[in-house]
Every structure is written in structure tokens, then in C-alpha cells.
Amino acid sequence: MVSRVIPVEPFDLVIFGGTGDLARRKILPGLYRRFVDGQMPAEARIIAAARSENTDAAFRETVRAAIGEFVTKEKQDATCIAAFLDRLSYVRVDATGSDGWQALAEKMRKDVIHAYYFSVGPGLFGDLARRLHRFGIAGSRCRIVVEKPFGHDLESARDLNATLAEHFDEHQIYRIDHYLGKETVQNLMAVRFGNMLFEPLWNARNVDHIQITVAETVGVGGRGGYYDKAGAMRDMVQNHMMQLLCLIAMEPPYAFEPDAVRDEKLKVIRALDHADPAQIVRGQYLADEEGRGYREDVENPDSRTESFIAMKLNVSNWRWKGTPFYIRTGKRLRARTSEIAIVFKDPPHSIFGDQESHKSNVLVIRLQPNEGINLKVTIKEPGPGGMRLIEVPLDMSFKEALGPEADDIPDAYERLIMDVIRGNQTLFMRGDEVEAAWAWADPVIAGWEQTGDRPIPYDAGSSGPEDALMLMHRDGRRWREVKA
Ligand code: NAP
């Protein structure tokens, strides 16, 4: 296969929190994969920064172990690993003090791109921005990558935007939402805007409704302290699901360029109606056979935080008025699956009579597992027996369609980091987008707090509370099954 990988410019990438969970599982293995694929120039360097005492050698060994654990065996080559580890170093830096900053400043080369990845707790984002500036390493060629969560509500998001804006221009700030780095999410745009087939049908006249599901089998794990203050609304809906909804609902941007795309997404968020509390179902998973439910996981026996949410949303503009968007996400559900389903309307008149098997067309964009796109169409059942209709999938699993090339699809994080180095913000959230999403979410959350709303318990391993099914049944529709 001819490599289409284009190397990026030389860079110094500093990962604050370079010894943390995200760096170990995603960022560093991702960078190694880009290195193996030849995208990293010989002069590229990666510097991990954290508070603990550490040495370059010890840090490199932890990265070697992370590559062993999180990179496929085919890409693990001893010479490549050694060459990659050579680029890595460790600096002890305290985000809240002055320890280590001078040493870091001295390490940064003058003539290369500087990228600073804030992979630390959100309480430290402002501290890092201020110190980068104070120690003279926040020049105009530098960029910062800010992890989630970006604020806890509108006010904190505004404060954080304001703090970052004191030291960096908007074009230097990369607010990461790794959902936007997924191959299928970008394919959603390719399908919509690269074909004549779908876009003319992409509106309330032809689309009955849209479903977005992000289901996880895991519980809150070790993140209980954070999660119990956030819940599914803050952790998933305000950011990831909102971004997916925007990409489906937005008007065609004039170009696939950062502000063109982000302007259109912002218009969608602004066109979202206030969520009607009667159209929202919140849930909390019950104890499994080991006796661990949500409340045990977060060690809060009175918790009112939702680990599941389903809601019906309306986008009030010419394109979508009358076509609801149903979204749901939850933990400890039956299967791990993320998908967007565009459910088209029935043909206006059936010339084949009332056939039960005659179903509406559905375009399914699968984010995981097995990324791909699937269109359900109605055909005649082959053979004798008259005109009997059946539904068949026109399936485009990337693995089947692209063969071995599909195995080379970069993971969301590695793609996004390379976009940072290239200076391409298309797949990153702009400050006003994040604020608009909080402005929409805040009143919903405030409403629950005011009324003392309690989530409905649901069985671990189910597809969420029964009431979530009713949310659609009331409208004569049904959710797609939660299955892998
Ligand atoms: P983590 O495992 O707790 O790691 C935190 C890192 O920050 C460690 O390297 C820690 O090293 C360093 N650190 C803490 N305090 C510091 C300070 N004062 N100065 C310098 N370094 C400091 O956290 P994580 O799970 O990797 O998460 C990092 C960020 O990514 C968070 O904002 C999180 O919300 C976000 N995120 C994580 C995931 C995930 O899957 N883990 C997913 C999405 C988003 P020392 O203790 O040695 O200082």
C-alpha cells in the first residue's frame, strides 16, 4: 500500500499530565502510531511534564509498557519503539507553583512549533495558561490543547475562556472533543456533502426522526468523584452528543474550514428549543449481582445524579421544524455501542398494499464498534410468491470496504493531535460553541435541582429505564435496539 501520510512540521509537544491515565492509554500510544506511519519528522520531540520526581529513563519505560498494552502487535517493532522513545523526555513541573518552569522553558527550541497539551484536571487549565505566558513560552507559534470538561456550567466556561483569552488568541486554543476525531464522524460530513444522494432528502420533509445513542457497558469506574458532580448531561450530552447533533443538523458550510464549519454548528445550538422536562428521562443503574450499583460506585447513598439520560429535542429552523432528535446515553447498559440513525419517512403511498415488512429507510452511522455506514432499503424478496417486500442492508463496514487499509485508520486522539500540529481547528470546538451549549444545558440542570428531580433506577445490563422507551412509544416510534 502506498503511504499517503504527509509528515508534519517539526515540533516540541509538551504533555502536561504526561504520566496520567489519558496520556498512557491514548495520547502516547497514538503518537507512537503516527511515528510508525512516518508522520512525525525526525526533529519532533515529546516532553512529559508532571509534579512527581521521575527520570527520562523511567518515563520511557512506562511508555514502552503503554505501547505494549495499547498498540496492536503488528505495529510493535523494537527498532521503531527505541527510536520513538529517544524523542521522549520528562520534566518535573508544578502547574500551581514555579517549580520546574525555568527548566521547561530552557528545553523548548526556538525554531519549531510549540504545542502544549493540558492533560491534567480542569482546575489546572488556567494555572498552566498563566505560567506558559509568565515563563515566556507562549509565543505566537504555540498552541494549547484543552481536555474536557471545559467548564461545569456557563459561568465557569466563560471564566475559563476569558482566562485562556488573556494569554492566547482563539486560533491557538484547541478544545478537544475526541468524538469529532472519529473516522465515522468525519464520514458523516463526507456522506452528506460529498454525495448528491442524501443532502436533498436531509430535512423535515423526508426525515421522520433522528436517534443518537451512545451506550456504555462500564459503570463510572474510578471516576466516581468527578462523575457524581457531572452526570450524563454534563459528561456526555452538553459536549459529545451536542457535537454529533450539530454535524447532522447543520447547513452545508461554504468550505471544510474551521470557522465555516463551526459557524454552522453554532447556529444549530442556538436553534435548539429549550428541552421540555416532560421529554427527558433520567436514570441511575441499580446494583448488579456483586451488589455495586451507581450509588455504591460513587459512594453517595443519596445521589440524585443521572447515569442515563434520554431526551427528545427539537431544532427550530426551516430545515428541521417537525423532525425530532431523540438522544440517549448511559452507563452499565446492555451493549457498548454508539450510532446515529436517520430514520426516513415512509413513501407517501404504497402501491404494494399494506405489507408489514415494508419499513422505512434508515441510514445508520456506526461510531463503535465496527465503524461504518449502513443504509436499509426495501427490495422484493427473491423468488416466486408474488411481490413480497423485504428490508436489506446496504452495508459499508470500513473493514469490508477498505480491506487492510481500514486497520490503519488513526484513532481519534492521534488524528486530532496531528491536526493541532498542522494548525487545523476544524475538528475542535470554538469558545462560543461551548458557551452556547452550556447556555442550553444550564436551565435544564437547574430545573432538576429546583424540583429535586430523582433519576429512575434501571437494571444494570438493560437498555435503560422503561420510561425512556415510552418517550418514543408515545410518539408512535421506537428506539433501535441497544446491541453490539
Ligand atoms: P490522571 O490519571 O489523574 O493524571 C493527571 C496527571 O496530571 C498526572 O500526570 C499528574 O501527575 C499530573 N498532575 C496533577 N497535578 C499536577 C500539577 N499540579 N502540576 C503538574 N502536573 C500535575 O488524569 P487523566 O485521567 O489522565 O485525565 C487528564 C485530563 O484528561 C482530565 O482533564 C480529564 O478530565 C481528561 N480526560 C481523561 C480521560 C481518560 O480516559 N482518562 C478521558 C477524557 C478526558 P503528578 O501526580 O505526578 O503530578
Side-chain angles (χ1 to χ4, degrees):
M1 187 177 71
V2 182
S3 173
R4 290 184 305 259
V5 172
I6 303 166
V8 295
E9 276 189 62
F11 60 84
D12 281 351
L13 167 66
V14 179
I15 309 170
F16 292 105
T19 52
D21 177 66
L22 184 68
R24 193 179 71 85
R25 287 190 306 111
K26 294 288 181 185
I27 303 173
L28 289 157
L31 285 164
Y32 169 74
R33 283 190 289 266
R34 294 294 85 222
F35 175 75
V36 175
D37 284 354
Q39 201 165 18
M40 233 181 253
E43 304 87 347
R45 289 190 331 184
I46 298 157
I47 301 158
R51 252 174 335 181
S52 304
E53 279 298 347
N54 207 346
T55 60
D56 289 349
F59 173 65
R60 287 176 185 158
E61 284 317 302
T62 59
V63 178
R64 186 194 299 281
I67 293 171
E69 198 177 342
F70 299 108
V71 174
T72 52
K73 290 280 170 279
E74 300 79 63
K75 288 212 164 178
Q76 291 188 31
D77 171 87
T79 318
C80 275
I81 294 176
F84 177 71
L85 296 183
D86 257 1
R87 274 142 221 274
L88 306 187
S89 59
Y90 181 85
V91 197
R92 202 176 69 81
V93 168
D94 183 359
T96 57
S98 48
D99 278 3
W101 283 94
Q102 201 49 49
L104 176 63
E106 282 162 19
K107 247 180 180 293
M108 303 304 289
R109 292 171 295 174
K110 296 279 171 289
D111 48 349
V112 298
I113 290 169
H114 292 177
Y116 301 103
Y117 197 128
F118 293 6
S119 183
V120 293
L124 299 177
F125 296 163
D127 291 309
L128 289 176
R130 277 189 285 272
R131 282 169 180 74
L132 286 171
H133 186 76
R134 192 192 308 158
F135 286 88
I137 44 175
S140 60
R141 281 197 87 201
C142 89
R143 326 96 225 214
I144 57 171
V145 185
V146 187
E147 257 304 329
K148 85 171 217 187
F150 197 93
H152 187 72
D153 53 17
L154 177 58
E155 195 186 341
S156 55
R158 271 192 187 141
D159 287 349
L160 181 54
N161 272 334
T163 304
L164 299 181
E166 281 172 34
H167 309 295
F168 301 95
D169 289 338
E170 181 62 33
H171 72 83
Q172 297 177 288
I173 305 171
Y174 290 72
R175 295 174 195 78
I176 207 158
D177 184 321
H178 70 277
Y179 271 63
L180 293 180
K182 286 179 186 281
E183 185 75 9
T184 1
V185 171
Q186 290 165 73
N187 238 308
L188 171 60
M189 287 185 272
V191 165
R192 274 194 72 187
F193 305 126
N195 295 288
M196 257 323 273
L197 208 54
F198 298 108
E199 192 48 28
L201 303 176
W202 211 263
N203 53 47
R205 276 188 304 287
N206 302 294
V207 176
D208 179 71
H209 71 279
I210 285 150
Q211 303 185 16
I212 308 176
T213 299
V214 177
E216 296 177 278
T217 49
V218 292
V220 297
R223 297 164 68 222
Y226 153 75
Y227 195 92
D228 203 38
K229 292 194 192 78
M233 182 70 166
R234 288 188 169 102
D235 188 52
M236 290 298 298
V237 175
Q238 181 274 344
N239 40 39
H240 306 311
M241 300 194 79
M242 180 70 82
Q243 288 294 320
L244 297 180
L245 187 148
C246 283
L247 294 178
I248 300 163
M250 73 181 184
E251 295 302 313
Y254 66 83
F256 190 56
E257 284 172 7
D259 281 335
V261 171
R262 298 183 307 173
D263 285 345
E264 295 307 335
K265 286 196 291 164
L266 180 61
K267 287 184 206 161
V268 174
I269 305 175
R270 293 196 170 140
L272 259 186
D273 286 355
H274 290 296
D276 175 357
Q279 304 286 1
I280 303 177
V281 177
R282 298 166 74 221
Q284 206 178 62
Y285 59 84
L286 287 165
D288 54 14
E289 32 322 324
E290 281 154 28
R292 291 199 70 80
Y294 176 82
R295 291 177 171 197
E296 289 74 31
D297 282 350
V298 299
E299 297 175 4
N300 178 2
D302 298 319
S303 173
R304 290 184 182 181
T305 304
E306 75 286 352
S307 61
F308 173 97
I309 190 164
M311 39 198 334
K312 177 182 176 183
L313 303 176
N314 295 303
V315 179
S316 279
N317 61 18
W318 274 43
R319 186 186 283 266
W320 292 116
K321 190 77 188 170
T323 292
F325 287 69
Y326 299 90
I327 66 175
R328 70 180 158 167
T329 181
K331 295 195 173 290
R332 297 302 311 266
L333 296 180
R334 183 176 299 142
R336 175 172 177 262
T337 174
S338 303
E339 63 166 42
I340 300 164
I342 320 288
V343 182
F344 289 90
K345 290 188 171 167
D346 287 340
H349 165 69
S350 171
I351 63 168
F352 307 111
D354 237 1
Q355 295 214 28
E356 267 225 346
S357 57
H358 189 186
K359 303 243 172 65
S360 41
N361 297 127
V362 184
L363 178 71
V364 179
I365 296 133
R366 275 192 314 270
L367 275 60
Q368 65 185 25
N370 190 17
E371 289 192 49
I373 293 174
N374 176 318
L375 176 65
K376 278 197 191 156
V377 293
T378 300
I379 62 163
K380 176 190 170 298
E381 190 171 359
M387 187 58 120
R388 282 175 293 119
L389 304 181
I390 52 165
E391 198 186 30
V392 292
L394 291 182
D395 200 346
M396 200 194 83
S397 138
F398 293 159
K399 261 205 157 50
E400 278 167 32
L402 305 176
E405 278 192 48
D407 292 330
D408 256 357
I409 292 174
D411 166 67
Y413 278 95
E414 59 195 80
R415 173 198 311 278
L416 293 173
I417 296 172
M418 287 300 124
D419 277 357
V420 173
I421 307 295
R422 284 193 207 95
N424 184 346
Q425 289 186 307
T426 311
L427 300 174
F428 294 83
M429 295 179 293
R430 209 167 53 192
D432 52 1
E433 259 185 274
V434 179
E435 289 185 16
W438 278 122
W440 173 83
D442 271 5
V444 181
I445 298 169
W448 300 332
E449 283 163 7
Q450 273 155 23
T451 58
D453 189 70
R454 286 177 179 278
I456 302 165
Y458 63 92
D459 289 331
S462 70
S463 49
E466 282 286 310
D467 293 51
L469 304 181
M470 291 310 297
L471 187 72
M472 286 197 96
H473 287 183
R474 280 201 299 267
D475 295 347
R477 302 180 172 114
R478 60 175 58 236
W479 288 106
R480 289 167 50 79
E481 224 182 303
V482 176
K483 61 174 184 197

